[in-house]
Amino acid sequence: MAIDHVPQAGVNANAPQVAPLDASKLKITLSETLKAIPAPESLVFGGTMSDHMMIVTYHPETGWSDPEIKPYGPLTLDPTSSCFQYSTNLFEGMKAYVGSDGEPRLFRPNMNMARLERTRDRIALPTFDTNELIKLIKKLVVIESRWIPNVPGHSLYVRPTMIGTRPSLGVAASDHATLYVICCPTGPYFRTGARPLSLMAVGEHIRAWPGGTGGYKLAGNYAPTFLPQKLAAKAGYDQVLWLLEDRVTEAGAMNFFAVVKREDGDLDILTSPLDGTILPGVTRDSMLTLIAAHGSKNSLRNIPTSLKLYPHERTFTIGELVQWSEEGRLLEAFTVGTAVVVAGVGRIGSEGRDDIVLPKHEGSMGPIARALHEKITAIQEGREQWEDWSVPCS
Amino acid sequence: MAIDHVPQAGVNANAPQVAPLDASKLKITLSETLKAIPAPESLVFGGTMSDHMMIVTYHPETGWSDPEIKPYGPLTLDPTSSCFQYSTNLFEGMKAYVGSDGEPRLFRPNMNMARLERTRDRIALPTFDTNELIKLIKKLVVIESRWIPNVPGHSLYVRPTMIGTRPSLGVAASDHATLYVICCPTGPYFRTGARPLSLMAVGEHIRAWPGGTGGYKLAGNYAPTFLPQKLAAKAGYDQVLWLLEDRVTEAGAMNFFAVVKREDGDLDILTSPLDGTILPGVTRDSMLTLIAAHGSKNSLRNIPTSLKLYPHERTFTIGELVQWSEEGRLLEAFTVGTAVVVAGVGRIGSEGRDDIVLPKHEGSMGPIARALHEKITAIQEGREQWEDWSVPCS
């Protein structure tokens, strides 16, 4: 194998003569037969796709095609395409909620678009204006709004995907691309009921490293996680807790938080810093904001305002978790992400040590995780306002 | 995002009731119109595919389908497929040569199959017997033998590819897969003529890390290399020399060798060890064997047998390369890989330092690289025998 040294024209340059992505050129073709929508309680994440998809393609000589919303259907691609050979693929995870006013809302879509742009740049795919993509996503969500379950904790999961489609085996950036958006109705991600998640700390397989791609939403970050995930499941744990040396980084494909009691009785709430090994999660960022606002701007329900919560983006180790647990100070651990929102952690295993067992709580979450979950869900569903986080689609 | 905790049935388990990959069930459908074959001197690597492809699919309930050799054509896949969303993709690079006897030969195909198996396992794709795949590849090469240019330095590049095709967004191992093999005629990979390659040492972006996937032929290892490659090209270098901290690891998508004169006048020939950050290249392994055999079993042409060559798989740094160069001991550097075979290096840039300039030679290679290139090419083309390296297809 060798990288083709011929410079690629057109990638990330978008010479003036090629067409930009333009949502005003959208063509809509509605499906003649609509699917039956499954009952909310029967939904399996990502298993049932909605009726339509948005799709648009980039060619280095002509630029972006006219975007289309059309019936959901397969992609047809040359076997040499970069997406298969060199995994020039990225995605985003977003959710659309419907409130009591019937209006579909997206949650902080600008954050997803900014991350998509950084990831696209990192793998040298053709550029576009993400504001145009937001317009297209809103159109698609409005068309698919009958798919949004009007049940608390349910939503329409929206998956923007971008794949390189350069039809050549030469090892070089993809100067062809397809950008598409697909949707599926979703309920609770983990169907574990009232049981919290168990995590197995893994240091042998490393998810991400400084100078690597762990801070980007690259498709290629996920394939290597499936073997460790299977090994964790075999050992009786739900998910992997990823270590980098002894540092705790993420859990499964989610960000990880620990709630630690301070000597003054207040709470430190820790998550790993964005040093390039951590996905900058939209839910992670929202949690840090909601934690910081407690007691002042807008407090968490059922948490005394006299209890101070200190959010920290800082490095911490599995050894520290063990120590805090032994000292009785590790009150809660939880994971967050767009798909899962918030999930409580009940147990953390690591090699050569007894499992860390977290305090038990009614349901699957401790009071902090539960309060954060309630708060963010209220904002997402439009029952509470918080800055410009909840964005109407119409 | 969150990993689906539901255990995946059938992946890497191949329950007895599902069909194994079976080359004896091959169905062949030949193309009714054959393509015109480009002149060898006009070939661009990976740009023109041959008439046919081999394809076979895995379904968790039924196992492997009957393999097919059929006219080359597109793949049709659901937009949720794992190959797009989670980059559950791998490939191999092999070459078929035709000798003066007209017989097509593969070069050390067992090594590619062993690496494919390790990579497949690392990303938890469904398993199969790689001996069956070799049989299918040989069949395809024989059918496509008119595509092998009968010109020295030319061959048929063979690209086995395996992609996960599970049609669901749940973050879990792919229990569906497509395995396919495509071919293209190929000549010299770098059309730089008599000019050696220039490399730019890059430490900011890290290709691979201990505990990561650099030792596997994962498609996902390649997408993150395209941005650094573009930055290197912009700075006037052909390829990237990948560093891990100050350690030299690989160059572009090739293994890297340095030839260093010892105090006793003999030569140390160094390449990085297989510590998990280095792709275990078939050409790399072959070079180490040919170097070790010089002076005893089978010597390199135009290199005195009295000159001892010491192959070393050991860590070395960019600082050591600079020092050896300043001492006049860095005689050659070269890169190796299946596509490139061998390419000489003329210059290595690294930040804050003057470029390392390698001694100039007639053509693009020093005497050691040239002798190794001649030897391996003779073996690949069947003009020389070396153990069981060259494997007839009929």
Side-chain angles (χ1 to χ4, degrees):
Chain A
M1 274 312 314
I3 285 182
D4 189 333
H5 78 292
V6 179
Q8 291 305 308
V11 177
N12 286 358
N14 272 13
Q17 71 274 17
V18 308
L21 180 62
D22 183 351
S24 74
K25 295 194 171 161
L26 176 65
K27 296 174 184 166
I28 299 177
T29 308
L30 295 181
S31 183
E32 292 182 6
T33 53
L34 298 181
K35 299 179 192 174
I37 298 181
E41 62 276 13
S42 74
L43 292 171
V44 173
F45 181 81
T48 305
M49 306 312 292
S50 70
D51 294 301
H52 301 93
M53 64 193 293
M54 193 291 293
I55 188 163
V56 58
T57 61
Y58 182 86
H59 187 283
E61 287 166 16
T62 51
W64 289 99
S65 66
D66 291 348
E68 283 186 89
I69 289 177
K70 62 178 194 180
Y72 183 90
L75 307 177
T76 298
L77 293 163
D78 194 88
T80 59
S81 299
S82 309
C83 56
F84 303 128
Q85 301 295 335
Y86 307 122
S87 288
T88 49
N89 308 330
L90 64 85
F91 69 95
E92 276 297 325
M94 307 167 74
K95 276 181 174 172
Y97 298 83
V98 67
S100 54
D101 58 359
E103 170 71 31
R105 288 177 173 80
L106 287 167
F107 184 70
R108 307 188 76 185
N110 291 334
M111 287 202 76
N112 294 98
M113 293 300 107
R115 187 171 64 185
L116 186 155
E117 183 147 316
R118 287 194 302 274
T119 307
R120 183 199 55 62
D121 193 60
R122 182 63 188 81
I123 55 171
L125 283 176
T127 188
F128 62 88
D129 180 353
T130 55
N131 291 314
E132 298 301 302
L133 178 56
I134 290 193
K135 291 179 197 167
L136 294 165
I137 290 171
K138 286 180 176 175
K139 283 274 190 195
L140 181 64
V141 167
V142 168
I143 288 172
E144 299 301 66
S145 58
R146 78 181 187 100
W147 283 89
I148 311 179
N150 198 351
V151 178
H154 289 65
S155 60
L156 188 70
Y157 182 82
V158 179
R159 175 63 66 99
T161 307
M162 186 174 188
I163 61 175
T165 56
R166 178 170 177 259
S168 167
L169 293 183
V171 181
S174 183
D175 56 358
H176 293 62
T178 295
L179 173 64
Y180 61 93
V181 183
I182 52 181
C183 306
C184 59
T186 178
Y189 188 82
F190 292 109
R191 298 263 181 203
T192 46
R195 186 173 64 77
L197 294 179
S198 56
L199 304 179
M200 185 175 89
V202 170
E204 182 198 359
H205 294 115
I206 311 240
R207 194 196 82 89
W209 53 87
T213 59
Y216 302 92
K217 208 152 178 72
L218 264 191
N221 289 342
Y222 293 81
T225 67
F226 297 144
L227 177 67
Q229 167 61 24
K230 286 163 70 88
L231 298 175
K234 204 170 170 184
Y237 296 87
D238 293 313
Q239 294 281 305
V240 169
L241 181 69
W242 298 104
L243 303 183
L244 176 58
E245 294 174 346
D246 58 350
R247 284 180 44 201
V248 172
T249 60
E250 297 192 13
M254 304 168 287
N255 292 122
F256 178 86
F257 283 76
V259 179
V260 184
K261 191 171 185 177
R262 296 154 56 102
E263 291 193 4
D264 62 10
D266 289 330
L267 303 182
D268 286 327
I269 305 184
L270 313 175
T271 196
S272 300
L274 300 181
D275 64 353
T277 69
I278 303 294
L279 188 78
V282 178
T283 313
R284 174 188 178 281
D285 182 86
S286 306
M287 291 297 166
L288 289 169
T289 302
L290 296 176
I291 292 163
H294 178 72
S296 59
K297 185 180 166 194
N298 194 325
S299 288
L300 299 172
R301 202 160 74 87
N302 293 332
I303 307 294
T305 52
S306 59
L307 183 70
K308 290 211 174 75
L309 308 182
Y310 295 93
H312 300 278
E313 295 179 79
R314 64 152 259 207
T315 294
F316 55 99
T317 65
I318 183 75
E320 284 179 284
L321 288 183
V322 170
Q323 190 191 325
W324 295 328
S325 174
E326 287 171 354
E327 295 170 353
R329 299 168 57 207
L330 183 62
L331 304 189
E332 298 183 35
F334 57 91
T335 62
V336 308
T338 293
V340 73
V341 190
V342 184
V345 173
R347 186 165 65 96
I348 303 173
S350 65
E351 206 174 313
R353 288 194 181 107
D354 289 340
D355 283 7
I356 299 170
V357 178
L358 280 290
K360 286 191 171 46
H361 298 280
E362 185 88 21
S364 63
M365 293 185 214
I368 298 294
R370 180 185 313 277
L372 287 165
H373 183 252
E374 282 186 14
K375 173 69 77 177
I376 197 168
T377 306
I379 300 166
Q380 288 169 332
E381 294 175 2
R383 289 180 278 118
E384 276 191 42
Q385 296 305 309
W386 192 285
E387 299 174 359
D388 57 354
W389 286 7
S390 194
V391 178
C393 290
S394 314
Chain B
M1 276 312 316
I3 286 183
D4 190 333
H5 78 292
V6 179
Q8 291 307 306
V11 177
N12 286 359
N14 274 12
Q17 71 275 18
V18 309
L21 180 62
D22 183 351
S24 73
K25 296 193 171 162
L26 177 65
K27 294 174 186 168
I28 299 176
T29 308
L30 296 181
S31 182
E32 291 185 4
T33 54
L34 298 181
K35 299 178 191 174
I37 297 180
E41 61 277 12
S42 74
L43 292 170
V44 173
F45 180 81
T48 306
M49 306 313 291
S50 70
D51 293 301
H52 301 92
M53 65 194 293
M54 192 291 293
I55 189 164
V56 58
T57 61
Y58 181 86
H59 188 285
E61 287 166 15
T62 51
W64 289 98
S65 67
D66 291 348
E68 282 187 272
I69 289 176
K70 64 178 192 180
Y72 183 90
L75 307 177
T76 298
L77 292 164
D78 194 87
T80 58
S81 299
S82 308
C83 56
F84 304 128
Q85 302 295 334
Y86 306 120
S87 288
T88 48
N89 308 330
L90 63 86
F91 69 94
E92 277 296 327
M94 307 167 74
K95 278 182 173 172
Y97 298 83
V98 64
S100 55
D101 59 359
E103 170 71 31
R105 289 178 173 78
L106 288 167
F107 184 69
R108 307 188 74 186
N110 290 335
M111 287 203 76
N112 294 98
M113 293 300 107
R115 187 170 64 185
L116 185 155
E117 183 146 318
R118 286 194 303 272
T119 307
R120 182 200 54 64
D121 192 60
R122 182 64 188 80
I123 54 171
L125 284 175
T127 190
F128 61 89
D129 180 353
T130 55
N131 291 315
E132 298 301 302
L133 178 56
I134 290 192
K135 291 179 197 167
L136 294 165
I137 291 171
K138 286 180 176 175
K139 282 275 189 193
L140 181 63
V141 168
V142 168
I143 287 171
E144 298 302 64
S145 59
R146 76 182 189 101
W147 283 89
I148 311 178
N150 197 350
V151 179
H154 288 66
S155 59
L156 188 71
Y157 182 82
V158 179
R159 174 64 65 101
T161 307
M162 186 173 187
I163 61 176
T165 56
R166 178 169 177 259
S168 167
L169 294 183
V171 181
S174 183
D175 56 358
H176 293 62
T178 295
L179 173 65
Y180 61 95
V181 184
I182 52 180
C183 307
C184 60
T186 180
Y189 188 82
F190 292 110
R191 297 263 181 204
T192 48
R195 186 174 65 75
L197 295 178
S198 56
L199 304 179
M200 185 174 91
V202 170
E204 182 198 358
H205 294 115
I206 311 258
R207 195 196 81 90
W209 184 264
T213 59
Y216 302 92
K217 208 152 179 73
L218 264 192
N221 289 342
Y222 293 82
T225 68
F226 296 145
L227 177 67
Q229 167 61 24
K230 288 163 70 89
L231 298 175
K234 204 169 169 184
Y237 296 86
D238 294 312
Q239 293 283 304
V240 168
L241 181 68
W242 299 103
L243 303 183
L244 176 58
E245 293 174 348
D246 59 349
R247 283 180 45 201
V248 172
T249 59
E250 295 194 13
M254 305 168 286
N255 292 121
F256 178 84
F257 282 77
V259 179
V260 184
K261 193 170 181 176
R262 296 155 56 104
E263 290 192 5
D264 62 10
D266 288 330
L267 304 182
D268 285 327
I269 305 183
L270 313 176
T271 197
S272 300
L274 301 181
D275 63 354
T277 70
I278 303 294
L279 188 78
V282 178
T283 313
R284 174 189 178 281
D285 182 86
S286 305
M287 290 298 167
L288 289 169
T289 303
L290 295 175
I291 292 163
H294 177 71
S296 59
K297 186 180 164 193
N298 193 327
S299 289
L300 298 172
R301 203 160 73 87
N302 294 332
I303 306 294
T305 51
S306 59
L307 182 70
K308 289 208 174 78
L309 308 183
Y310 296 92
H312 300 278
E313 295 179 79
R314 63 153 261 207
T315 294
F316 55 99
T317 67
I318 183 76
E320 285 180 284
L321 288 183
V322 170
Q323 189 191 327
W324 295 329
S325 174
E326 286 171 355
E327 296 169 355
R329 297 168 58 206
L330 184 61
L331 304 189
E332 300 182 34
F334 58 91
T335 62
V336 309
T338 294
V340 73
V341 189
V342 185
V345 173
R347 188 165 64 94
I348 302 172
S350 65
E351 206 173 313
R353 288 196 179 106
D354 290 340
D355 284 6
I356 299 171
V357 178
L358 279 290
K360 287 189 171 45
H361 298 280
E362 185 86 23
S364 63
M365 293 185 213
I368 298 294
R370 180 186 311 278
L372 286 165
H373 183 252
E374 282 187 14
K375 173 68 76 178
I376 196 168
T377 306
I379 299 166
Q380 288 169 331
E381 295 175 1
R383 289 179 279 118
E384 275 191 42
Q385 296 306 310
W386 192 285
E387 299 172 359
D388 57 353
W389 285 8
S390 193
V391 177
C393 289
S394 315

